[in-house]
Amino acid sequence: METTSIKEVARQAGVSLGTVSNVLNRPHLVADTTRQRVLEAIRELGYVRNDSARQLRAGRSRTIAIVVLDVSNPFFTDVIRGAEEAIDAAGAVAVVCNSGQSAARERRHLELLEEQRVQGVLITPVDGGRDSQLVNLIKRGVPVVLVDRGIWQSDRCSVAVDDVLGGRIAGQHFRELGHDHVAFVGGPLTIPQVADRQHGFESVLSGIRVRTFLTPELTVAAGRQAGHALADLASPDRPTAVFCANDLLALGLLQEMTQRGISVPDEVAILGYDDIDFAAAAAVPLSSVRQPREHLGRAAAELLLEETRSPDTHAHRNLVFHPELVARKSTARPGR
């Protein structure tokens, strides 16, 4: 179907192209009667302005990209929701890209986003923000904010949660409950947040036996696989408490324990991380280390918008939020 052009609007209204342009972009410069005539022609012809073309000619758009590791993870769903609130309030629009934890896929997204002249990029990078395409994007003046990454760099803002502290909170919870044989489930350790949570967890467990079950990804399926390995251990050799690097792993682990007839929390206590909505609704309500997910996204978007409005005076900042323990029925003192 053919679209109406601005030339047709001008012809219908009996005015110049410049007058139509002023009505669309600077209506205060046009006499009221002329403006009404142009608007009537727009309505009659069904004209829709090509805003993307106009923005590209100006060298910018009103689109802000959000690039995340896994759109199926409820943690990122909440981060996106928080970011969209701030972006919508600023009159811009968000477009979401899923890297799938693939550096190559992330690079393709960034190349296309630069071609589209996006206003800025919020990103949870696969490699911590060192990818050459991301670095080049910043060098060419595109505002970038790292989300859920706390690495301070002078050329970009970042927002993150103190994941080492989160791991310590988990370990201290198990210590206070009296567990002397615990486990960490998570991976891959190339993801900085996972490594930080493991490090914090183990740092407060001196004198306590710690076992590690590495996973290839942070999914329910990977949690079930770890649960299978855990359940296959003889009861005396099985850890009595397990800290999972995120809630999806913990939910998968909980499913496997239930299927194998292992009582949670009496035989195995389970603690997740993120406190997604599904955690409280689990068959055994899941204890979790809560992250301020929507706040994280909102803060990242506000930093980016601040930079786009005042690029010459904007000061890059690294915001770090503190997690907190939400104790529910899945953690208790060892029962065997």
Side-chain angles (χ1 to χ4, degrees):
M1 185 175 70
E2 293 185 5
T3 57
T4 303
S5 70
I6 192 172
K7 291 181 179 179
E8 292 173 271
V9 173
R11 185 163 53 247
Q12 174 88 350
V15 298
S16 68
L17 289 175
T19 299
V20 178
S21 178
N22 280 338
V23 169
L24 294 172
N25 301 301
R26 295 174 292 277
H28 61 283
L29 298 179
V30 184
D32 185 61
T33 55
T34 304
R35 184 170 65 251
Q36 293 303 320
R37 193 162 72 248
V38 171
L39 292 175
E40 181 62 27
I42 287 173
R43 284 191 293 269
E44 289 179 358
L45 296 172
Y47 170 75
V48 178
R49 68 191 296 172
N50 188 344
D51 211 32
S52 62
R54 180 180 63 84
Q55 291 165 5
L56 289 174
R57 285 194 297 271
R60 60 182 177 82
S61 77
R62 289 183 295 177
T63 301
I64 292 175
I66 307 173
V67 185
V68 298
L69 294 176
D70 181 5
V71 291
S72 67
N73 187 330
F75 167 79
F76 288 113
T77 303
D78 292 340
V79 169
I80 291 166
R81 184 181 297 115
E84 281 186 320
E85 287 180 4
I87 292 167
D88 288 347
V93 64
V95 58
V96 178
C97 302
N98 179 37
S99 71
Q101 300 184 35
S102 164
R105 188 173 178 181
E106 175 187 280
R107 197 170 300 116
R108 288 197 301 273
H109 282 317
L110 293 176
E111 289 171 354
L112 290 172
L113 291 170
E114 185 175 14
E115 290 175 8
Q116 294 299 314
R117 304 293 195 272
V118 292
Q119 189 173 357
V121 177
L122 305 177
I123 183 170
T124 303
V126 173
D127 69 350
R130 294 178 293 273
D131 182 83
S132 59
Q133 184 63 34
L134 183 62
V135 172
N136 289 336
L137 200 68
I138 294 169
K139 287 181 178 179
R140 286 192 278 268
V142 178
V144 169
V145 175
L146 303 187
V147 182
D148 202 27
R149 288 288 190 273
I151 303 172
W152 165 249
Q153 297 184 51
S154 61
D155 60 353
R156 69 198 75 172
C157 289
S158 66
V159 295
V161 172
D162 187 340
D163 285 309
V164 174
L165 173 60
R168 290 203 299 265
I169 289 171
Q172 191 61 37
H173 182 52
F174 286 165
R175 179 180 283 280
E176 291 172 355
L177 289 174
H179 292 279
D180 58 10
H181 185 191
V182 302
F184 173 82
V185 171
L189 294 179
T190 51
I191 298 176
Q193 297 96 318
V194 176
D196 285 348
R197 291 166 198 175
Q198 182 191 34
H199 173 69
F201 180 63
E202 295 179 349
S203 71
V204 296
L205 295 176
S206 176
I208 293 176
R209 184 180 173 190
V210 182
R211 189 170 190 140
T212 299
F213 295 85
L214 292 179
T215 62
E217 53 190 8
L218 299 168
T219 62
V220 172
R224 293 202 64 156
Q225 290 171 0
H228 183 81
L230 185 75
D232 281 348
L233 296 172
S235 181
D237 298 326
R238 188 185 304 137
T240 59
V242 181
F243 170 47
C244 297
N246 78 349
D247 286 341
L248 297 182
L249 289 171
L251 291 170
L253 184 71
L254 176 60
Q255 289 176 6
E256 189 66 19
M257 294 301 99
T258 301
Q259 185 171 332
R260 299 286 287 270
I262 297 172
S263 175
V264 176
D266 294 334
E267 295 179 83
V268 176
I270 300 176
L271 176 62
Y273 200 104
D274 290 337
D275 194 33
I276 62 176
D277 291 340
F278 298 133
V284 179
L286 183 68
S287 297
S288 187
V289 179
R290 174 183 290 164
Q291 299 198 76
R293 304 175 303 280
E294 290 190 27
H295 193 184
L296 201 69
R298 191 179 304 111
E302 288 171 350
L303 286 173
L304 187 86
L305 291 164
E306 178 185 297
E307 183 174 358
T308 62
R309 294 186 190 110
S310 307
D312 296 330
T313 59
H314 173 77
H316 294 302
R317 302 195 299 281
N318 177 27
L319 304 183
V320 180
F321 298 94
H322 289 173
E324 60 181 356
L325 176 68
V326 180
R328 299 190 180 96
K329 292 184 179 180
S330 70
T331 53
R333 294 185 178 278
R336 69 170 194 262

